[in-house]
Amino acid sequence: MQRILSLLCISLLIISCGKEKTDGFVVNGNVDKAENNSLVKLIRTENRQEILLDSARVTDNTFTLNGKVENPDMYFLTIDGVRGSLPFIVANEPIDLTIVSDSIYTSTIKGGKENDHLNEYQEFIKVLRLRNNNLTKEFQASQSVKDTAQMSVLRNKYEAIMAENDAHDIAFMTENNGAVLSALILERALMSNKIEFVKIKELYTNFEASLKNTRPGKAIATYIEANENTAIGSVVPNFSGPTPEGETIALNDIKGKITLIDFWAAWCAPCRKENPNVVNVYNKYHEKGLEIISVSLDGTPQQKEI
């Protein structure tokens, strides 16, 4: 009986050790073609600065990178002599890479639910990219013979592909509100203004707390806070400034049914050209509730003479 209990304890210990979570990440890589001692780097770029997570040397077509990250994030793998870089998500777990040196983008990434999400997303993008490449060839052929009608049709097809991509991104972020890839997609969208501010807030609000605590999650929160008062659809914050006569006027003092805020400068030729049109619009619609406040951005003494 005692022997059976001892064997049971050993078995439980083995199972326990087998399930023990790694304290950090371990990236094991296998390269189909690479010279020994080639430098492998795991990096990301922030504020145009390269951030190195770890580096290693290739030995017999293999390499190992390890370390620990505070939260999962996108990093890029580079290898000396191999063109391009391989993006994947580093979390504190084992990751296996099979590198295709002639086309690093087609390499295989295995390990972790975050990279499962990434692989699924990349497969969708591959299909869209292929369709887009085919459209580009068709467009160039139509352009060479000046077939404007067909060029217009192809432009519409291209717009449809972009709309499909945007819709897929929205659906992915909504359904996978705990995946770091969702925060990375939304962070990228901030730079291209692809998504309206109201939708950005909605998607971010739906994110799980752990996702909001990641680097991209915090970047999105900072963006929302900075743009809350000036985004399309937001209420303009009150402000005040001096008039040409030296008096102080505030936005809230002159709000009408519709209030136009016109920012301009004395040195801006298009602004000066538009000034008479602004005055004409004011004279035409002021009695119906239109108010216009013009804000000069130069603030020079010349302004009083203009």
Side-chain angles (χ1 to χ4, degrees):
M1 182 69 177
Q2 185 176 356
R3 184 181 177 187
I4 295 174
L5 287 173
S6 297
L7 291 172
L8 180 60
C9 289
I10 293 172
S11 299
L12 289 173
L13 180 61
I14 293 172
I15 293 171
S16 175
C17 291
K19 290 185 177 180
E20 184 178 354
K21 291 184 178 180
T22 178
D23 188 44
F25 68 85
V26 178
V27 179
N28 292 308
N30 189 290
V31 193
D32 59 354
K33 292 181 292 184
E35 295 184 6
N36 272 342
N37 212 38
S38 295
L39 180 63
V40 181
K41 294 196 297 183
L42 192 55
I43 61 173
R44 69 179 177 84
T45 302
E46 187 172 333
N47 298 324
R48 298 185 179 180
Q49 296 293 319
E50 181 181 291
I51 298 174
L52 176 67
L53 187 58
D54 194 27
S55 63
R57 297 281 179 176
V58 174
T59 303
D60 296 330
N61 291 334
T62 64
F63 61 87
T64 299
L65 301 160
N66 52 61
K68 190 172 184 178
V69 290
E70 184 177 352
N71 289 295
D73 206 344
M74 178 79 77
Y75 285 84
F76 295 83
L77 184 91
T78 64
I79 304 175
D80 280 355
V82 176
R83 185 178 180 181
S85 60
L86 176 67
F88 64 99
I89 296 174
V90 177
N92 292 321
E93 55 195 354
I95 301 170
D96 295 322
L97 305 177
T98 303
I99 306 298
V100 181
S101 56
D102 289 337
S103 179
I104 195 169
Y105 308 106
T106 62
S107 301
T108 302
I109 306 164
K110 292 183 179 179
K113 62 178 182 179
E114 294 292 352
N115 284 309
D116 288 342
H117 286 309
L118 178 61
N119 287 330
E120 179 186 349
Y121 184 83
Q122 293 283 47
E123 285 302 314
F124 173 80
I125 295 300
K126 281 180 186 177
V127 174
L128 284 194
R129 188 179 293 121
L130 179 61
R131 287 165 55 191
N132 183 60
N133 290 342
N134 291 336
L135 271 182
T136 300
K137 292 176 183 178
E138 290 183 51
F139 186 86
Q140 290 171 343
S142 299
Q143 193 175 40
S144 65
V145 295
K146 298 181 180 180
D147 187 346
T148 55
Q150 181 63 9
M151 288 166 61
S152 179
V153 169
L154 294 172
R155 285 194 188 97
N156 290 336
K157 288 185 177 181
Y158 171 78
E159 292 299 329
I161 289 177
M162 294 299 101
E164 184 179 348
N165 186 19
D166 293 345
H168 178 269
D169 283 355
I170 296 292
F172 182 92
M173 289 184 283
T174 302
E175 295 167 9
N176 301 281
N177 62 341
V180 71
L181 182 58
S182 292
L184 290 166
I185 293 172
L186 188 54
E187 181 187 32
R188 181 188 62 193
L190 303 182
M191 305 173 192
S192 59
N193 295 318
K194 286 171 57 176
I195 304 176
E196 292 183 357
F197 184 79
V198 172
K199 190 63 179 179
I200 291 171
K201 280 189 66 177
E202 178 186 321
L203 290 165
Y204 175 78
T205 301
N206 187 50
F207 284 170
E208 293 181 2
S210 58
L211 185 54
K212 293 178 181 178
N213 196 44
T214 62
R215 181 202 59 77
K218 292 176 181 177
I220 297 165
T222 299
Y223 174 89
I224 290 173
E225 183 179 358
N227 292 273
E228 188 84 53
N229 293 328
T230 56
I232 295 174
S234 299
V235 176
V236 179
N238 186 41
F239 62 89
S240 61
T243 67
E245 292 76 25
E247 299 177 358
T248 298
I249 189 171
L251 175 62
N252 285 347
D253 295 337
I254 59 169
K255 275 186 179 178
K257 292 180 181 178
I258 297 178
T259 302
L260 172 66
I261 305 175
D262 175 33
F263 294 93
W264 68 291
W267 44 263
C268 172
C271 301
R272 299 298 304 278
K273 187 176 181 180
E274 191 64 24
N275 284 157
N277 294 329
V278 173
V279 173
N280 290 337
V281 169
Y282 176 82
N283 291 334
K284 184 175 181 179
Y285 295 105
H286 175 61
E287 290 185 358
K288 296 181 179 180
L290 173 66
E291 291 289 356
I292 298 178
I293 179 168
S294 290
V295 181
S296 169
L297 300 181
D298 48 15
T300 64
Q302 277 183 297
Q303 183 61 38
K304 294 182 180 181
E305 302 172 5
I306 295 170

